[in-house]
Every structure is written in C-alpha cells, then in structure tokens.
Amino acid sequence: MVSKSLSVIGFKPDLRSGKGTQIQRGLIVRLLRVISLVILDALSLVLAWKLAIYYGTPIESVWTQEVSFLMLNVSVGISIFLTSGLYKAGINRRNYTRLIKAISLSEVLLLLIGFLYAPESYISRSTFLLSWLLSIAFICTARFLFDVVTNRLRSQGSVRHSVFLITDKEEQEEQICLVEKQNCYTVLGVADSSSLDLRNRDRTFAYLRELGVAEAFVSWSCIKNRLYICWHFYTAGITIRILPTKHEQYHPKSVMWMLGDVPCLTIPAPILAGSDFWVKRIFDLVSSSVLLMAFSPLYLTISVLIKLDSRGPVFFKQDRIGLHGKKFKIWKFRTMVTNAEKLQAGLEAKNEIKDGVLFKLKDDPRITKIGKFLRRYSLDELPQLFNVLFGEMSLVGPRPLPVRDVERFQKMHFIRQEVLPGITGLWQVSGRSDIENFEDGVKLDITYIENWSILMDLKILFQTVGVVFQKKGAY
C-alpha cells in the first residue's frame, strides 16, 4: 500500500496551481453589474449637484463654477460606495440604510476637502442640503429601478449565474428549491456526494469545466477531504457555496454570505485561477538564482571547511519524497560521517520523536564538528537552492521527508505531499526540531496549506531569518 502511495503516474501539478490559467467563472456578468451601478451612481451624483446649484441660493464660488469639484464629488462618492461594499452581489446593492450613510459621509468629506483646499470660498446651505437630499433620492431610485430591470431580465432567463448542486439525494429537492428561489441562478445539474469521491473527482471537475459552471452549491457533509476539494474548486475558478447544515463547520478561506434569508458560507474563486501559485514559482526561481550567486563565496568556504574536518564528499544527497510522492535527490552540505545512514539502525531506540515517524536525536554521535556549526545556523540547507532552481522544491512549503519516514505515514498524512515541498515552512518557524510529535508538525503543515497565500510565504521567510540567527530548536 505504501509503495503505491509513493509512485507517480504521469505529472500532476501542485494542489494550488490549477489546470492551466483560468479566469474566474461568471466574472463578465459580475463586471457588467458593477460597471452599470457605477455609471448610474455617477449620473445620479452629477444630476443632484447640478440641480442643487440651479435651485439653491446662488453664490459665486469655485464650488459651483469649477468642474474639478464636480469630479471630486463623484470620485469621493464612488470610492465610499466601493469601500462600503455597496457594489457586492446580493442584498448589498439594495441596502438603502448603508447607501444613505455612505452618501452622508461623502458630503461631509466634501465639506472638509473644500474647506482645506479653498477656505475662502463658500457654498450656500440650501445648495449643500439640496445636493445631499437629491443624491439620496436619485441614487436610491436608480438602484431600485436597476433591481426591477435585473429581476425582469432574470425572469426571462438572462444575466443569471450558471450553478451546479452537489448534495445528498434526500436533500436535493429542498436545496434546489432554496437556490432557485433566489431568481438569479440557472441550475445546470445535480449530483450526489459520490461525485467528489477519489475515483470520480477528476471526471466531476472536467464535467463542471465543460458546462462552464460559475458557482457550485455543495453540502458540507458531502465533502470528505475538505481541504483537497476546496482547493480544486478554487483553482478551477469556480466559487463554492456551502449549503446550510445543522452542524457548524467552516473552512479558513470561507466568508459569510446570505442565500436569501439563510446565512451560508462561501469560498470565492480568484479572478485568475492559479495565478498566485505561478507568482510564487517565479519568485522562487528568481530568488534562488540571485541567492546562489550571492552565496557562492560562502559555498566555497564551507566546502573547504568540510574537507578539512573529515573524509568524504562536500555534498550529501539523499532520496526525499516530494510532490505527489515523487522521489528526488535533496542537496545538503554533509554534516555527518559518511556511513551515517547505516549507523541509524543502531540509534532507532534513542529516537526522540514520540510516535517514531520521524527520526531526531539531539546529541547525534554521527554529526561532525563542522556539521554541528552548520546545523546550528541551518547553513547545511543552503545547497537546496539548487533543488528550488530545478523545480523540485520551493523556498517555503512542508519539508520533504526521507523514504523511511514517509513509509510510516498514515493515510491522513499524505495531504502534505500535494504541495511543493520547501526549504523552510510553518513547522520550522514554529519550533523547528523542538516539536516532539509528528502529528503536531502535520497540523502545522495542514494549517499552512489551508491558509496559504503569497503574503504568508513572505512572513515565513522573514521569520526564518530570525529563527536561524536565534538558533532556536536547531541541532
């Protein structure tokens, strides 16, 4: 069973990469909605300002004569609507209370800007009040009419989002009624939980891509391997909507969303599926190339010290298990005697990792004098920049483990093999060798995979520098 887990047939990409770069499904419809609302709001603000000047008490001022103040009025209003979430889908654009608050805030900000920019100029109170009241009236009316027209078009089958339902058979009828009640979705198909099983998963996602599904409504209880499945939807550019369940559960990337009056969770798809991962790979390639050139004098110095300290090669290459269980040779500066792997069998009884999956020994007699120094400052890991350059590793990711360790994995542990291994990771900056239980390390790896982002990688890299200089947990 283990040998099958370690073998790889063909090439599979990193869990986060997606199958080719794909634009978020349904993006065009969403963009058209937002652009239409922005145009309506801008026209409403312009009309309100013009009428307020015409009917208000006339005062010659830059406020009423310069076009720049009119443009400022529109820009401030649109910006506040945007930051207030009034261009989001669903009930957000119909939240008239929030609209009135946003319009009022924009008017106050305009007064403040006008005072700071041109304190000697004035605007009549009647013009200001008329502009405020007319803006509220026009924008709310425009939003109401927009909804009326949109609902009419949707009743005729236009501007709808194509969706697919995956839910248990006994709940399908109820869930279909809940989705169709919203009058903004076209249900292209329904499947039960078996469609997400391992044997059916690839066919299901290929079928969803073929249908052009924008969103998938999934019952949380249908997803057995939630971390894996959620990343598949995410990298396919499909927004996943988690249907209501009696049990309160969530995913780290999920946000609250209303399905009518029912609160649900959703995991929104990125605008460009897989783009973040390819930014990560480009960063890895550029950084490893630059660091290899910058550290070349250090590489030479360490090589000389290793040769002077003990017999044997400068570099140590070992089989490690990488992406999807594929073996590769990891590069390190040699820190042990040349027959270290043969001697390990006699030291297994002294293993300090409680569950025995990994092998760690604080005062390992196999380590050379220069090896102790290199390990203390993690300098022995520097040659792994070659592995990063060759695409076998990343700067940040779960550490690749020896064959001996992976052969002791349980089924749940293999999720960490679905992403590219790294030189450093959340495990390393959270204690490095001080973690005594393999399960604790796996939890950190899963936390990394669940919450991964480019910003998270950068934070781990900066934390790694601090951990190395403090020599925390290194031996």
Side-chain angles (χ1 to χ4, degrees), residues 2 23-24 87 101 110 129 149 193 225 246 276 281 289 330 414 433 462 469:
V2 173
I23 296 175
Q24 183 187 104
Y87 293 117
K101 289 180 179 178
L110 281 170
L129 290 172
V149 173
S193 58
N225 194 334
K246 295 177 182 178
D276 282 358
R281 287 303 301 141
S289 301
I330 194 171
F414 281 96
S433 301
F462 283 121
F469 279 109

Side-chain angles (χ1 to χ4, degrees), residues 403-467:
V403 177
R404 173 255 179 217
D405 298 346
V406 179
E407 285 177 343
R408 304 187 182 198
F409 273 16
Q410 296 180 26
K411 187 177 179 181
M412 69 186 77
H413 298 152
F414 281 96
I415 186 65
R416 70 190 303 280
Q417 304 304 132
E418 295 297 324
V419 301
L420 205 60
I423 295 178
T424 185
L426 192 59
W427 185 340
Q428 284 64 45
V429 299
S430 301
R432 297 171 83 192
S433 301
D434 286 339
I435 292 176
E436 297 179 350
N437 193 308
F438 177 67
E439 292 296 333
D440 295 335
V442 170
K443 287 177 183 177
L444 289 170
D445 287 336
I446 291 175
T447 298
Y448 169 76
I449 297 170
E450 283 182 332
N451 298 280
W452 174 78
S453 67
I454 294 172
L455 181 60
M456 186 179 193
D457 273 5
L458 292 174
K459 286 181 179 178
I460 290 173
L461 285 172
F462 283 121
Q463 287 175 345
T464 300
V465 175
V467 167

Side-chain angles (χ1 to χ4, degrees), residues 31-83:
L31 283 176
L32 287 174
R33 172 179 51 78
V34 173
I35 291 170
S36 299
L37 287 173
V38 169
I39 291 172
L40 285 173
D41 291 341
L43 290 174
S44 298
L45 288 169
V46 169
L47 184 58
W49 184 254
K50 291 290 186 181
L51 289 176
I53 292 173
Y54 184 79
Y55 288 107
T57 303
I59 296 179
E60 288 192 9
S61 168
V62 293
W63 281 72
T64 58
Q65 293 174 349
E66 288 191 13
V67 179
S68 57
F69 272 99
L70 175 60
M71 298 303 295
L72 182 66
N73 185 1
V74 174
S75 301
V76 170
I78 298 298
S79 299
I80 291 176
F81 296 163
L82 187 64
T83 55

Side-chain angles (χ1 to χ4, degrees), residues 193-360:
S193 58
S194 64
S195 63
L196 294 178
D197 289 346
L198 182 60
R199 64 181 182 276
N200 301 321
R201 194 177 296 155
D202 287 340
R203 287 199 302 270
T204 298
F205 281 100
Y207 182 60
L208 293 180
R209 283 190 288 268
E210 184 182 336
L211 283 178
V213 170
E215 301 180 15
F217 285 84
V218 184
S219 176
W220 203 227
S221 58
C222 289
I223 307 178
K224 296 179 179 65
N225 194 334
R226 288 168 186 146
L227 172 59
Y228 193 84
I229 295 297
C230 289
W231 268 111
H232 266 64
F233 279 111
Y234 190 81
T235 55
I238 300 173
T239 296
I240 178 173
R241 307 283 189 189
I242 300 165
L243 290 165
T245 177
K246 295 177 182 178
H247 304 288
E248 192 174 330
Q249 301 184 37
Y250 67 95
H251 184 274
K253 290 185 178 291
S254 61
V255 293
M256 188 59 69
W257 174 79
M258 297 299 294
L259 181 60
D261 298 325
V262 181
C264 303
L265 293 175
T266 185
I267 302 173
I271 291 177
L272 203 61
S275 56
D276 282 358
F277 173 75
W278 292 112
V279 170
K280 171 185 173 70
R281 287 303 301 141
I282 292 169
F283 178 78
D284 282 344
L285 291 172
V286 173
S287 298
S288 58
S289 301
V290 171
L291 289 173
L292 281 169
M293 288 187 287
F295 290 155
S296 54
L298 181 60
Y299 276 59
L300 182 60
T301 303
I302 292 173
S303 300
V304 172
L305 291 173
I306 290 172
K307 295 299 286 183
L308 293 174
D309 182 57
S310 62
R311 291 182 180 181
V314 170
F315 295 106
F316 170 72
K317 290 184 284 185
Q318 183 187 47
D319 282 338
R320 293 289 176 100
I321 306 302
L323 183 63
H324 304 301
K326 185 178 180 181
K327 285 184 184 179
F328 72 98
K329 294 284 186 183
I330 194 171
W331 287 59
K332 299 180 76 173
F333 280 121
R334 183 174 60 84
T335 59
M336 291 186 173
V337 293
T338 52
N339 61 339
E341 290 187 296
K342 292 180 180 179
L343 296 174
Q344 183 171 319
L347 298 171
E348 287 284 355
K350 299 180 180 180
N351 189 2
E352 295 175 2
I353 299 295
K354 294 178 181 178
D355 50 22
V357 177
L358 303 182
F359 181 84
K360 291 287 183 181

Side-chain angles (χ1 to χ4, degrees), residues 59-231:
I59 296 179
E60 288 192 9
S61 168
V62 293
W63 281 72
T64 58
Q65 293 174 349
E66 288 191 13
V67 179
S68 57
F69 272 99
L70 175 60
M71 298 303 295
L72 182 66
N73 185 1
V74 174
S75 301
V76 170
I78 298 298
S79 299
I80 291 176
F81 296 163
L82 187 64
T83 55
S84 300
L86 292 167
Y87 293 117
K88 291 182 180 179
I91 62 172
N92 294 286
R93 68 169 181 265
R94 298 188 293 273
N95 193 326
Y96 297 109
T97 302
R98 194 188 296 175
L99 265 172
I100 293 170
K101 289 180 179 178
I103 294 167
S104 302
L105 177 60
S106 69
E107 293 292 332
V108 172
L109 281 177
L110 281 170
L111 277 180
L112 179 61
I113 294 169
F115 172 75
L116 295 174
Y117 176 73
E120 71 285 350
S121 300
Y122 299 95
I123 184 174
S124 66
R125 284 170 291 184
S126 59
T127 301
F128 173 77
L129 290 172
L130 276 172
S131 173
W132 173 51
L133 294 173
L134 288 173
S135 295
I136 291 173
F138 291 162
I139 289 174
C140 290
T141 301
R143 293 278 179 128
F144 175 77
L145 292 174
F146 180 85
D147 275 342
V148 170
V149 173
T150 301
N151 289 333
R152 180 66 61 86
L153 290 172
R154 282 175 172 168
S155 298
Q156 297 173 359
S158 303
V159 292
R160 285 173 166 262
H161 300 291
S162 54
V163 301
F164 194 90
L165 267 68
I166 301 176
T167 181
D168 292 324
K169 290 182 178 178
E170 59 271 18
E171 295 180 342
Q172 284 181 1
E173 189 175 340
E174 178 186 347
Q175 304 290 18
I176 290 171
C177 289
L178 178 62
V179 172
E180 289 183 339
K181 186 179 178 182
Q182 307 312 306
N183 192 36
C184 62
Y185 298 111
T186 298
V187 180
L188 298 183
V190 184
D192 59 27
S193 58
S194 64
S195 63
L196 294 178
D197 289 346
L198 182 60
R199 64 181 182 276
N200 301 321
R201 194 177 296 155
D202 287 340
R203 287 199 302 270
T204 298
F205 281 100
Y207 182 60
L208 293 180
R209 283 190 288 268
E210 184 182 336
L211 283 178
V213 170
E215 301 180 15
F217 285 84
V218 184
S219 176
W220 203 227
S221 58
C222 289
I223 307 178
K224 296 179 179 65
N225 194 334
R226 288 168 186 146
L227 172 59
Y228 193 84
I229 295 297
C230 289
W231 268 111

